[in-house]
Amino acid sequence: MKTAEIRRRFLDHFVRAGHTLVPSASLVYNDPTLLFVNAGMVPFKPYFTGAEDAPYDTATSCQKCVRTLDIEEVGKTTRHGTFFQMNGNFSFGDYFKEGAIQHAWQLVTNPVDAGGFGFDGDRVWVTVLGPGHHPDFPDGDAEAVELWKAVGVPDERIQRRNLKDNYWNMGVPGPGGPCSEIYIDRGSEFGPDGGPVVDEDRFLEIWNLVFMQQELSAVRAKDDFDVLRPLPKKNIDTGMGLERVAYLMQGRDNLYEIDQVFPVIEKASELSGRRYGANHDDDVRLRVVADHVRSALMLMTDGVTPGNEARGYVLRRLLRRSVRSMRLLGVHDPVLPDLLPVSKALMEESYPEVTAQWERVHQLAYGEEESFRRTLASGTQIFDLAAASARRAHATTIGGDQAFQLHDTYGFPIDLTLEMAAEAGLAVDQAEFRRLMTEQKERAKADARAKKGGTATTEAYRTLRSAGETPFRGFTDLAVETPVRGIVKDGELVASARPGDVVEVVLEETPFYAEAGGQDADAGTLSGDGMALDVLDVQRPVQGLVVHKALVTEGELGAGARVLALVDGAARFGACQAHTATHLMNAALRQLLGQGTHQAGSYNKPGYLRFDFNAPTGLSPALRSELEGVVNAAVRDDFEVTARELPLAEARALGAQAMFGEKYGAVVRMVELAGPWSRELCGGTHVARTAQIGLVNLLGEGSVGSGIRRVEALVSQDAFASFAAERALVSTLADTLKTQPDRLPERVEKLLGELKAAHKQIADLKTAALLGNLGELAASAVDAGGYRLIARRLPGVGGAELRTVALELRDRLGESPAVVALVGGDAKPAVIVVTNAAARERGAGAGALVGVAAPHLGGRGGGRDDIAQGGGTDPTGADAALEAVRTALAGS
Ligand code: ATP
Ligand code: MG
């Protein structure tokens, strides 16, 4: 049975039982605690915590998941993918344990022609929370045991485990409860008897049923928490691994061999000529490739772009690991253009967004592979240097610090370093490398811990949020009188704040715009009865709750007090100008570059905007001025700017632009400029007509990551001020160069020409002077081991001249064995050695002598036997370098 069919069966089973079908959320979901959605329950979290009312009693979904922690498991275990699909059924105060167990049992064991998965009931094992692990469950989850027995699972296949295995919580205060996992026995050929407590590979976990029945007040670990009270409304959250069920039903050994993944393995095997199943190491690599290519495809489809931080970094790692694994399989050509389309074809059936985003996705992926190939090329050079210096020092090992630097700075994976070292006959100090890696990980962990300190704050926000959302009045009013709902200081709710305190203030309603959708927060003041505060920042840390970070400048602010919340009108107008200008930029780019152009991020504040978008190459200067032209023409055309609310589907049908990863409700706000000229889903503030923007000055355009470009612009008064400053600069230059502004280019060109001629003249004079001096230099020749040797420093004499002088001197030394060694240059010293035929016959090679001299200059070099050059960075070693040449000749 195909994976897509198993998915459909699951959803049908629960829809038939009255569940609302909820589509998968984007992998990039606005939950600040998560990098990616990693379980089916994530989009339902607010319903489980009680922050929002569930719009249905029961629901079912097939959720795209990415678990970055499982990346190292891929290919090694049979059951871990970085991307996988979790099917789930959810009950919000509706059915509980009995319903959950019966639904699951029926789906798993019902015959295939009756809509089930058709697993033999005798192969099913389950686990439950055992007795004696928690005071609230002295006998363990006896209720679950009875219910499993009732559907027909005998007691010997119900295994009791501890809190770590069979109790679920979110790691923070909130709901928790025991869970029960369903395992399928794959058969005695896969491991020993004894059920999942003995072997989790033979007994494969397919489904976890979570019974949320308690509210936790503190959570220190999975098995260490305080229970506040039983939940008044008990909930069900389950997760079934689609890929795991698929590989069992398809009779495969692991989840990389299912119909949705295996064709990528086949393609990779074809490209590399390595047969799948022939060699364990190769098999693991092929599985890594298939897994990572699919995960990268799904992440990019949901708007992630490769980068050096957070999500972008995970994606980059996945793409690079795929490319690198293919390299280790012997493929050095680009691989993604062959592999990615295979995965695309497999995933389209269940995910139409894969087709819709393909243009963007494949450009990004192929661009990233190209840039990684460049990294590999430059890393290879660094590696060669490290190998050469190891050999020079007669060492057989490359230092752990060098391997770490290659990894850290050049993104050069350690196994590649190991492989290349082995090819070069060298080992790598892996212990030291691992030590440095651990050190770095510890640093990262400490950082993460420091950031997590916010849980207490979350608690305070949750309390304030439970009294309702903060209505935003700022579309129409810049001044609102309102009571203070609460004050948070250092993460705790406080009753009052005094002058000098920086606190977070929550109001019953607000005219302040909280930073969102790229628009910076409003500035302004809060004031009342003898007290005043400066608003420093405005954020929405949890859905629906606006928090004003403010400095108390006067008087005492108390919770419950009435304040006048007053937005700085001039700054707000500037923000409106910049935000509307951002929409102009977006629409203009799409007009010029095509409808495949998408916003990849934006930021705007009074006087300034920046806008990121996908494009394979940079904008030419001509295109850049065209862009500025289109935007400013739209300003002059004085388009009307309107906003209205409408159903999401309707807005989509009208072609409204949406941001990736943004969670949109059923009803959205759409901002239009002259109707169809620009339509975007947007919650920001705007000017009423585009002419109010005044002027937009495009500052520049550049790259911010593979396939992503950024434009920056000044808006309104700032745009004008920058033009004015440029004009003043031009006029100063014209005065200094004694010409008219419009003749500046001509004048500068002429001056540069004169300068170049002067430089050439100086160089010629210098060479002439040197050549005039050759007699004195030639007279300084000494004998070294039977060679006539001139070894001299010529500070300040560079490349071509140094060479001319060296060759001239050689000619003057006649036919007997002669060597000339010169060190010239300045901060960057250069060394040249030339030999004549007799010297070479006697055994002297210029290349070898440079090889001896250059290390003293902190560099390297080599070359032919008759003439060779090198260089370095340390001019103080010049005498030592020359002495080294003399010694080498004398000793030969
Ligand atoms: P495991 O111990 O095998 O890693 P888990 O305890 O992490 O599993 P849950 O968090 O309970 O799993 O997730 C629910 C279900 O999702 C599991 O029963 C399993 O079928 C599936 N699942 C979890 N992680 C993965 C993964 N990395 N790849 C594929 N399926 C997974
Ligand atoms: Mg796991």
Side-chain angles (χ1 to χ4, degrees):
M1 190 181 296
K2 286 181 72 178
T3 308
E5 168 62 20
I6 301 170
R7 171 181 186 265
R8 225 168 357 244
R9 270 178 189 241
F10 184 101
L11 297 174
D12 284 352
H13 178 74
F14 285 101
V15 167
R16 270 201 307 274
H19 293 62
T20 301
L21 176 60
V22 178
S24 174
S26 165
L27 283 165
V28 180
Y29 192 71
N30 56 355
D31 180 332
T33 62
L34 290 175
L35 215 46
F36 302 114
V37 172
N38 61 2
M41 62 82 66
V42 170
F44 302 105
K45 244 191 202 177
Y47 311 147
F48 288 130
T49 59
E52 286 174 39
D53 285 334
Y56 24 65
D57 294 332
T58 58
T60 184
S61 71
C62 176
Q63 174 64 47
K64 303 182 264 191
C65 296
V66 164
R67 288 196 181 174
T68 47
L69 284 178
D70 286 344
I71 195 166
E72 302 293 345
E73 305 295 334
V74 170
K76 296 179 189 155
T77 76
T78 61
R79 60 194 160 95
H80 288 103
T82 47
F83 169 86
F84 64 96
Q85 301 155 80
M86 199 186 283
N87 273 115
N89 56 293
F90 308 91
S91 158
F92 312 101
D94 194 88
Y95 62 80
F96 195 50
K97 272 179 217 185
E98 181 173 14
I101 286 176
Q102 286 175 356
H103 281 310
W105 176 257
Q106 282 161 13
L107 181 60
V108 169
T109 59
N110 272 358
V112 168
D113 49 20
F117 294 153
F119 286 107
D120 181 352
D122 293 346
R123 290 172 65 197
V124 177
W125 291 64
V126 300
T127 58
V128 297
L129 179 65
H133 296 299
H134 196 274
D136 285 357
F137 298 94
D139 305 321
D141 194 351
E143 196 186 347
V145 171
E146 286 317 310
L147 290 166
W148 280 120
K149 283 187 187 159
V151 295
V153 183
D155 195 64
E156 62 271 21
R157 288 209 305 273
I158 304 175
Q159 298 197 305
R160 279 78 168 167
R161 302 185 89 168
N162 60 23
L163 289 168
K164 266 205 183 89
D165 292 313
N166 282 74
Y167 193 93
W168 175 92
N169 63 58
M170 297 205 298
V172 292
C179 60
S180 185
E181 293 163 331
I182 304 176
Y183 292 75
I184 302 289
D185 181 1
R186 298 165 68 201
S188 54
E189 63 271 38
F190 292 98
D193 292 344
V197 297
V198 171
D199 187 342
E200 292 219 11
D201 205 31
R202 165 170 168 186
F203 299 90
L204 179 72
E205 176 190 335
I206 57 162
W207 202 341
N208 191 1
L209 315 181
V210 176
F211 312 127
M212 287 182 212
Q213 60 186 96
Q214 297 179 311
E215 183 170 349
L216 312 182
S217 56
V219 178
R220 291 169 294 274
K222 274 200 93 162
D223 55 354
D224 183 13
F225 49 82
D226 299 332
V227 176
L228 184 65
R229 56 178 178 148
L231 273 179
K233 271 176 63 178
K234 297 181 177 50
N235 299 318
I236 289 294
D237 153 33
T238 85
M240 185 199 82
L242 180 61
E243 284 78 1
R244 293 192 182 175
V245 173
Y247 89 73
L248 291 174
M249 292 184 68
Q250 294 173 9
R252 297 308 194 115
D253 278 353
N254 57 61
L255 59 76
Y256 319 99
E257 294 178 16
I258 65 171
D259 62 311
Q260 254 181 12
V261 184
F262 194 61
V264 182
I265 291 192
E266 289 179 311
K267 187 77 198 176
S269 152
E270 176 195 321
L271 292 174
S272 63
R274 310 273 174 109
R275 196 168 59 77
Y276 183 67
N279 166 299
H280 176 71
D281 287 349
D282 284 354
D283 288 355
V284 171
R285 283 171 190 152
L286 287 166
R287 290 180 202 141
V288 165
V289 169
D291 172 86
H292 287 12
V293 163
R294 181 166 85 137
S295 303
L297 171 76
M298 298 309 286
L299 283 173
M300 286 186 289
T301 294
D302 279 351
V304 183
T305 52
N308 281 332
E309 258 155 328
R311 294 179 176 131
Y313 184 66
V314 172
L315 171 60
R316 171 161 286 169
R317 244 187 109 193
L318 289 167
L319 287 168
R320 290 184 164 192
R321 274 172 59 111
S322 322
V323 172
R324 185 216 346 160
S325 300
M326 287 301 285
R327 259 181 116 85
L328 294 174
L329 289 165
V331 183
H332 288 253
D333 289 334
V335 294
L336 293 178
D338 284 307
L339 298 175
L340 203 61
V342 178
S343 193
K344 169 194 175 244
L346 296 167
M347 297 308 290
E348 277 171 327
E349 179 175 357
S350 299
Y351 301 98
E353 62 265 35
V354 171
T355 324
Q357 295 302 327
W358 176 244
E359 256 321 287
R360 200 186 108 261
V361 166
H362 82 261
Q363 279 181 18
L364 270 179
Y366 302 167
E368 177 69 10
E369 177 168 25
E370 275 316 312
S371 87
F372 183 46
R373 287 163 56 78
R374 284 193 295 274
T375 301
L376 283 175
S378 61
T380 305
Q381 276 177 16
I382 306 294
F383 174 86
D384 289 345
L385 282 181
S389 87
R391 276 198 215 95
R392 254 202 312 281
H394 300 292
T396 54
T397 307
I398 291 183
D401 53 337
Q402 283 168 318
F404 179 74
Q405 192 205 5
L406 271 165
H407 174 272
D408 200 49
T409 315
Y410 300 94
F412 217 61
I414 181 69
D415 46 3
L416 211 57
T417 305
L418 286 176
E419 202 187 66
M420 290 174 56
E423 274 169 19
L426 292 166
V428 176
D429 184 348
Q430 289 193 63
E432 174 67 4
F433 173 81
R434 273 196 301 272
R435 197 187 63 74
L436 291 166
M437 285 296 284
T438 315
E439 218 175 83
Q440 191 194 40
K441 268 190 202 147
E442 294 297 322
R443 271 199 304 274
K445 261 194 225 152
D447 284 358
R449 266 200 300 275
K451 276 187 196 134
K452 257 208 184 135
T455 17
T457 323
T458 314
E459 187 64 49
Y461 294 150
R462 268 226 301 262
T463 311
L464 292 169
R465 173 65 180 78
S466 61
E469 294 197 2
T470 322
F472 174 57
R473 305 286 180 225
F475 285 132
T476 48
D477 299 307
L478 296 187
V480 170
E481 243 196 75
T482 172
V484 173
R485 183 186 289 175
I487 307 169
V488 178
K489 185 161 181 253
D490 300 328
E492 304 283 347
L493 278 171
V494 294
S496 63
R498 299 154 38 83
D501 286 351
V502 172
V503 289
E504 291 167 303
V505 183
V506 172
L507 305 172
E508 289 301 339
E509 51 182 355
T510 185
F512 280 88
Y513 183 80
E515 180 175 352
Q519 181 177 335
D520 204 359
D522 274 338
T525 56
L526 306 178
S527 60
D529 206 10
M531 117 287 275
L533 292 89
D534 270 345
V535 175
L536 310 172
D537 191 11
V538 189
Q539 295 289 337
R540 211 180 274 118
V542 291
Q543 182 85 29
L545 185 77
V546 176
V547 170
H548 308 75
K549 186 172 176 192
L551 167 71
V552 184
T553 53
E554 238 181 275
E556 184 172 307
L557 174 75
R562 279 193 86 76
V563 293
L564 176 69
L566 183 63
V567 172
D568 177 338
R572 164 63 83 77
F573 186 66
C576 292
Q577 289 177 312
H579 199 155
T580 308
T582 308
H583 285 213
L584 291 178
M585 196 64 84
N586 188 356
L589 278 164
R590 287 168 60 82
Q591 280 181 23
L592 295 175
L593 301 181
Q595 300 302 305
T597 312
H598 286 284
Q599 173 167 358
S602 73
Y603 173 71
N604 59 79
K605 62 178 182 183
Y608 171 88
L609 72 88
R610 75 170 185 244
F611 186 84
D612 297 346
F613 58 100
N614 62 311
T617 57
L619 302 183
S620 65
L623 205 53
R624 231 189 280 178
S625 38
E626 210 181 332
L627 175 66
E628 196 176 40
V630 173
V631 169
N632 281 293
V635 170
R636 283 192 304 278
D637 287 345
D638 198 19
F639 295 150
E640 186 177 20
V641 184
T642 54
R644 61 184 158 120
E645 301 207 325
L646 71 175
L648 178 59
E650 216 171 287
R652 286 239 155 91
L654 285 168
Q657 296 301 298
M659 258 308 273
F660 281 119
E662 203 69 84
K663 179 189 177 190
Y664 292 106
V667 173
V668 293
R669 181 169 184 264
M670 179 172 78
V671 173
E672 290 179 302
L673 311 186
W677 200 88
S678 155
R679 285 194 172 119
E680 287 190 40
L681 301 189
C682 174
T685 67
H686 290 271
V687 291
R689 305 193 63 94
T690 54
Q692 290 176 324
I693 295 169
L695 182 66
V696 179
N697 173 359
L698 189 61
L699 288 181
E701 186 261 357
S703 165
V704 284
S706 72
I708 303 293
R709 314 288 307 179
R710 167 174 293 175
V711 284
E712 282 182 291
L714 295 176
V715 181
S716 189
Q717 189 55 33
D718 291 63
F720 171 75
S722 139
F723 280 135
E726 249 167 49
R727 187 179 55 195
L729 179 69
V730 168
S731 125
T732 312
L733 279 177
D735 280 354
T736 315
L737 298 178
K738 305 216 179 348
T739 183
Q740 299 302 312
D742 58 345
R743 308 195 61 177
L744 267 176
E746 221 177 292
R747 180 90 184 101
V748 170
E749 197 128 333
K750 184 156 170 273
L751 284 173
L752 286 176
E754 285 171 14
L755 195 61
K756 199 170 159 197
H759 276 312
K760 169 127 185 21
Q761 221 172 358
I762 292 171
D764 290 350
L765 286 171
K766 255 169 113 185
T767 314
L770 268 173
L771 295 178
N773 212 10
L774 281 181
E776 185 261 327
L777 283 172
S780 72
V782 295
D783 179 79
Y787 297 92
R788 299 285 293 154
L789 169 68
I790 299 177
R792 290 291 295 256
R793 292 171 51 193
L794 295 179
V797 181
E801 288 156 43
L802 199 63
R803 189 184 165 93
T804 313
V805 174
L807 293 171
E808 276 294 328
L809 284 175
R810 182 181 66 181
D811 289 350
R812 294 202 178 202
L813 289 180
E815 301 294 315
S816 58
V819 175
V820 179
L822 302 176
V823 175
D826 26 50
K828 283 201 169 159
V831 57
I832 185 164
V833 175
V834 296
T835 56
N836 65 5
R840 288 195 290 280
E841 236 153 71
R842 210 183 140 87
L849 291 170
V850 166
V852 166
H856 294 282
L857 303 171
R860 49 186 223 138
R864 299 179 354 206
D865 279 347
D866 56 341
I867 178 160
Q869 304 193 37
T873 51
D874 179 12
T876 63
D879 287 330
L882 293 170
E883 181 54 25
V885 172
R886 201 192 63 76
T887 320
L889 289 173
S892 66

